[in-house]
């Protein structure tokens, strides 16, 4: 293990053309990899899912047990899906119950009645579904998908679109949507064959993503554009090349396709996965910074934590102590300050609070992706209790082979997971504030007793100007945390007068994760530099088992700075190091 910075060879001067080429290549990689997915598996998943299937096991969907990790595997690694037989049978019965209810000539929103302002408009009356009635229904379904396709802005990332298809498929298998099984199989075929609709990702107010999910329904009908085998093409061409036929939505299919929070839940689910990785990395970077500061372990000790035993806080402290096993910080040092700046002392509290918010979000999302948020919702096998009032009894089918209820619902309101999602954003802002302040303290000799990150003399400036970058990144993360959950205008004739902005909130959290990854990368540059200088100052200064692994791996990408060079190139390299997950928990597995 290196005892001083001298053996680190200075970075070779980069020619201007080489720098531009490097930055362009790394920037392209970073934009695809910031969420922690490796580029090769992601491309394999999107363009050649049949090949990717050899690398990951298909996920069996039963409408009850989908996990966030499986969402990530299907969305980012190209894993396929299999529909459980009992779930498919349940979906078929749900569809039959819906039609049985409509046959009684009872009004059903989006089936035999219109939607929105047309909610009281009759499309067809009860009785058997004649060819003429089916024709009317199919035309209504096409019109609904066309009229509700109102997304705008940038294209949704393809992993998000795949996650949205998966979540809508699994939640429909719960049995509350009344979708035709033919539609459910088309979702599965799109995922398994790698057809990814081009989907504009903005325009939802978070009371079902009706303006966005319509684009998936149109693609399954052969309209719009999709990605297939690495090319963007008309969806009709993609279907033909994949050997699929367009679907013909009927009954409540179109409403069930659009009236769900699958897109917002997809954004939130992938953000939750990324946040978990990021918080592990934040612990590791903070631990290395603590060694660069020659700081105190007392706030992390078990006896200290037991005085205020919040779950996330204790997990964070335990993680950091594991990373710091064997560190010189465990040895008393009379020169060590009695107490460190709060940005070092409160890491377990702040990161722990973020973990607590993340844990709540994960639990709420787990319910979201394994239940029905449909309106109306189909409750299979539900029976009216004795003495049920006439108002409630009208929603039940009590005779025939399929029984249950078709109920108007507000299950499309996702407040249960949007509020913890917003809270996670606030927690990430606080995490960013700590990282920024730690970075600034590491450049101050009054706290570190180290040179200003470069040997004095020769007019060296070092990391001074990068403080502006730190401040800018922290401001970005903080601005993105501002609440927007209630910022919704009344729509649909003032009937839809509230919303949650769930997708926008999720996109902002994802953007926070991007910026915070870069901020942590800059802190990691400073922490590694401080460690090198401290080891030069104190040749016996040992790092912890986990922090030493992080330091060694990082130095393979960003060498010690012994003379001024371009900081922006180092930032790109450091950001790519974290975005690829190279400082993640898997890389720190060789711990005691």
């Amino acid at each position: 293990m290196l005892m001083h910075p001298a053996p680190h060879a200075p970075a070779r001067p980069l020619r201007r053309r080489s720098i531009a080429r490097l930055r362009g290549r790394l920037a392209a990689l970073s934009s695809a990899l910031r969420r922690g997915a490796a580029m090769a598996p992601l491309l394999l998943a999107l363009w050649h899912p049949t090949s990717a299937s050899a690398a990951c096991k298909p996920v069996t969907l039963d409408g009850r047990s989908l996990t966030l990790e499986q969402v990530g595997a299907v969305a980012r690694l190209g894993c396929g899906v299999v529909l459980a037989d009992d779930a498919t049978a349940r979906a078929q019965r749900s569809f039959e119950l819906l039609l049985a209810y409509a046959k009684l000539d009872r009004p059903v929103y989006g089936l035999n009645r219109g939607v929105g302002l047309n909610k009281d408009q009759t499309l067809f009356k009860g009785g058997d579904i004649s060819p003429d009635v089916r024709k009317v229904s199919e035309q209504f379904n096409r019109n609904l998908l066309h009229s509700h396709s109102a997304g705008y802005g940038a294209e949704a990332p393809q992993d998000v679109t795949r996650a949205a298809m998966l979540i809508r498929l699994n939640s429909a298998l719960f049995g509350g949507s009344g979708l035709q099984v033919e539609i459910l199989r088309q979702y599965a075929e799109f995922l398994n064959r790698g057809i990814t609709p081009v989907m504009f990702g903005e325009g939802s107010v978070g009371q079902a993503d009706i303006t966005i999910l319509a684009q998936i329904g149109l693609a399954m009908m052969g309209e719009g554009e999709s990605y297939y085998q690495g090319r963007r093409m008309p969806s009709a061409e993609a279907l033909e090349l994949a050997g699929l036929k367009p679907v013909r939505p009927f009954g409540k299919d179109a409403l069930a396709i659009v009236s769900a929070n699958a897109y917002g839940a997809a954004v939130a689910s992938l953000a939750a996965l990324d946040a978990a990785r990021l918080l592990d990395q934040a612990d590791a970077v903070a631990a290395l910074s603590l060694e660069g500061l020659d700081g105190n372990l007392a706030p992390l000790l078990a006896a200290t934590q037991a005085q205020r035993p919040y779950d996330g806080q204790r997990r964070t402290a335990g993680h950091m102590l594991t990373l710091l096993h064997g560190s010189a910080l465990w040895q008393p040092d009379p020169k060590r300050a009695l107490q460190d700046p709060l940005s070092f002392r409160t890491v377990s509290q702040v990161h722990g609070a973020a973990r607590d918010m993340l844990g709540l979000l994960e639990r709420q999302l787990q319910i979201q992706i394994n239940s029905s948020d449909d309106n109306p919702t189909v409750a299979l096998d539900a029976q009216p209790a004795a003495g049920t009032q006439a108002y409630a009894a009208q929603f039940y089918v009590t005779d025939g082979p399929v029984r249950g209820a078709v109920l108007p619902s507000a299950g499309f309101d996702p407040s249960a997971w949007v509020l913890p999602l917003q809270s996670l954003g606030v927690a990430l802002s606080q995490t960013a504030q700590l990282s920024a302040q730690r970075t600034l303290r590491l450049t101050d000799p009054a706290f570190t007793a180290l040179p200003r990150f470069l040997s004095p003399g020769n007019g060296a400036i070092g990391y001074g100007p990068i403080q502006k970058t730190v401040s800018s990144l922290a401001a970005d993360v903080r601005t993105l945390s501002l609440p927007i959950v209630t910022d919704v205008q009344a729509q649909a004739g003032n009937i839809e007068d509230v919303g949650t902005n769930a997708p926008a909130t999720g996109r902002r959290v994802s953007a926070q994760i991007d910026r915070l990854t870069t901020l942590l990368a800059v802190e990691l540059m400073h922490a590694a530099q401080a460690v090198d200088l401290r080891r030069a100052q104190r040749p016996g200064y040992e790092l912890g088992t986990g922090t030493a692994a992080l330091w060694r791996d990082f130095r393979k990408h960003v060498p010690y700075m012994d003379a001024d060079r371009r900081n922006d190139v180092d930032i790109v390299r450091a950001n790519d190091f974290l975005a690829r997950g190279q400082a993640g928990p898997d890389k720190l597995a060789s711990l005691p």
Side-chain angles (χ1 to χ4, degrees):
M1 187 172 292
L2 298 177
M3 306 307 287
H4 53 81
H8 289 287
R12 293 183 179 179
L14 293 173
R15 295 180 180 177
R16 185 173 301 174
R17 183 178 301 174
S18 298
I19 291 173
R21 193 162 50 240
L22 171 67
R23 293 187 68 198
R25 186 163 59 248
L26 292 180
L29 281 171
S30 295
S31 65
L33 300 176
R34 284 179 181 177
R35 294 186 176 88
M39 182 63 126
L42 177 59
L43 292 178
L44 185 64
L46 295 178
W47 311 142
H48 303 291
T50 53
S51 299
S53 63
C56 58
K57 184 178 179 181
V59 175
T60 299
L61 302 180
D62 60 9
R64 300 286 195 273
S65 60
L66 181 65
T67 67
L68 296 183
E69 289 73 19
Q70 289 172 328
V71 171
V74 172
R76 291 174 168 168
L77 301 180
C79 297
V81 298
V82 176
L83 306 187
D85 291 341
D86 59 341
T88 304
R90 184 166 57 244
Q92 178 62 34
R93 292 176 62 234
S94 174
F95 175 69
E96 292 171 357
L97 175 59
L98 183 70
L99 296 187
Y101 185 84
K103 188 175 181 179
L104 300 175
D105 202 24
R106 295 174 184 171
V108 182
Y109 185 80
L111 174 64
N112 54 20
R113 298 294 188 273
V115 298
L117 287 174
N118 297 322
K119 64 186 184 304
D120 297 316
Q121 178 182 341
T122 299
L123 302 176
F124 59 85
K125 293 188 177 295
D128 293 331
I129 303 296
S130 67
D132 288 340
V133 167
R134 187 174 185 103
K135 183 177 180 181
V136 168
S137 179
E138 289 181 353
Q139 183 63 53
F140 168 74
N141 275 258
R142 287 194 297 273
N143 292 346
L144 191 153
L145 289 174
H146 285 145
S147 64
H148 284 64
S149 183
Y152 70 93
E155 287 182 24
Q158 293 184 50
D159 59 345
V160 174
T161 302
R162 284 181 61 85
M165 291 192 291
L166 171 68
I167 290 170
R168 173 69 286 208
L169 171 56
N170 189 69
S171 62
L173 289 170
F174 179 85
S177 70
L179 275 163
Q180 290 186 89
V181 171
E182 174 189 358
I183 303 294
L184 302 182
R185 295 194 189 282
Q186 191 82 322
Y187 278 111
E189 293 289 1
F190 268 44
L191 291 169
N192 291 337
R193 299 176 188 241
I195 301 176
T196 307
V198 174
M199 193 168 74
F200 299 110
E202 299 177 62
S204 170
V205 299
Q207 292 289 94
D209 304 317
I210 62 175
T211 57
I212 295 176
L213 295 177
Q215 299 167 86
I216 296 175
L218 291 172
M220 294 194 295
M221 292 170 56
E223 298 188 24
E225 292 185 308
S226 296
Y227 290 99
Y228 180 64
Q229 293 185 340
R231 291 196 298 122
R232 178 172 174 165
M233 63 183 71
S235 296
E237 181 181 349
L239 288 171
E240 183 177 359
L241 290 173
L244 299 175
K245 294 181 180 180
V247 296
R248 299 174 64 180
F250 159 71
K252 196 173 73 71
D253 288 345
L255 180 62
I257 289 170
V258 305
S259 186
N261 291 285
Y263 170 71
V267 176
S269 296
L270 296 178
L273 291 170
D274 295 337
R277 169 192 57 81
L278 185 69
L279 289 173
D280 282 340
Q281 291 181 335
D283 290 349
V285 173
L288 189 66
S289 289
L290 190 64
E291 290 180 311
L293 182 73
D294 192 27
N296 290 278
L297 295 175
L300 302 175
L301 297 179
T304 310
Q305 293 290 317
Q307 298 296 104
R308 202 160 176 259
Y310 291 114
D311 289 341
Q313 177 180 316
R314 296 178 77 176
R315 284 180 54 201
T316 301
H319 183 211
M320 292 183 67
L321 289 178
T322 301
L323 294 169
L324 291 166
H325 178 80
S327 171
L329 297 183
W330 291 99
Q331 303 300 320
D333 182 353
K335 296 182 180 181
R336 187 175 294 146
L338 178 62
Q339 290 193 338
D340 303 324
L342 291 179
S343 54
F344 290 86
R345 269 193 281 162
T346 65
V347 171
S348 67
Q349 285 79 11
V350 172
H351 291 194
R355 281 191 165 88
D356 289 337
M357 290 300 100
L358 176 60
L360 176 58
L361 173 63
E362 291 170 336
R363 291 191 295 275
Q364 300 298 73
L365 284 172
Q366 196 69 33
I367 295 173
Q368 168 67 35
I369 67 179
N370 289 289
S371 61
S372 171
D373 57 0
D374 291 270
N375 173 46
T377 189
V378 182
L380 277 171
D381 303 321
Q383 296 293 324
T388 296
Q389 298 294 316
Y391 172 79
Q394 69 179 317
F395 300 116
Y396 289 87
V397 174
T398 56
D399 295 314
V402 183
R403 302 182 184 186
V406 178
L407 302 153
S409 166
F412 49 76
D413 186 294
S415 296
W417 56 265
V418 178
L419 293 176
L421 176 65
Q422 178 68 80
S423 297
L424 175 63
V426 175
L428 291 178
S429 175
Q430 195 174 12
T431 302
Q433 174 72 353
L434 262 66
S435 176
Q437 294 302 326
R438 285 194 304 269
T439 303
L440 298 179
R441 297 298 86 73
L442 286 174
T443 63
D444 189 343
F447 289 100
T448 64
L450 295 172
R452 286 188 178 274
F453 276 56
L454 284 179
S455 298
N458 301 320
I461 297 172
Y463 280 153
I466 209 172
Q467 293 180 0
K468 297 175 175 59
T469 304
V470 170
S471 179
S472 177
L473 285 166
D476 282 350
V477 178
R478 182 170 60 253
T479 301
L480 288 165
S481 74
L482 297 177
I484 58 170
V485 170
T486 57
D487 190 11
V488 176
Q489 306 302 315
Q491 307 130 52
N494 292 325
I495 295 173
E496 300 172 8
D497 53 357
V498 298
T500 67
N501 282 321
T505 300
R507 288 194 303 270
R508 288 161 71 96
V509 171
S510 293
Q512 284 184 291
I513 292 171
D514 285 349
R515 302 295 196 282
L516 183 49
T517 297
T518 306
L519 182 56
L520 288 170
V522 174
E523 181 186 352
L524 182 54
M525 292 165 56
H526 286 68
Q529 190 78 1
V531 163
D532 283 331
L533 292 171
R534 191 163 301 285
R535 290 165 65 81
Q537 190 181 76
R538 294 168 54 185
Y541 194 85
E542 293 290 340
L543 300 182
T545 307
T547 49
L550 171 62
W551 172 74
R552 285 194 303 268
D553 288 345
F554 181 68
R555 279 299 182 224
K556 296 174 185 176
H557 295 77
V558 180
Y560 169 75
M561 179 184 280
D562 60 355
D564 282 328
R565 62 173 185 257
R566 293 188 59 161
N567 283 320
D568 53 355
V569 174
D570 283 355
I571 292 171
V572 171
R573 287 170 170 156
N575 184 79
D576 192 58
F577 173 78
L578 290 183
R580 286 174 176 268
Q582 288 174 280
D586 291 342
K587 292 294 182 179
L588 303 174
S590 59
L591 302 178

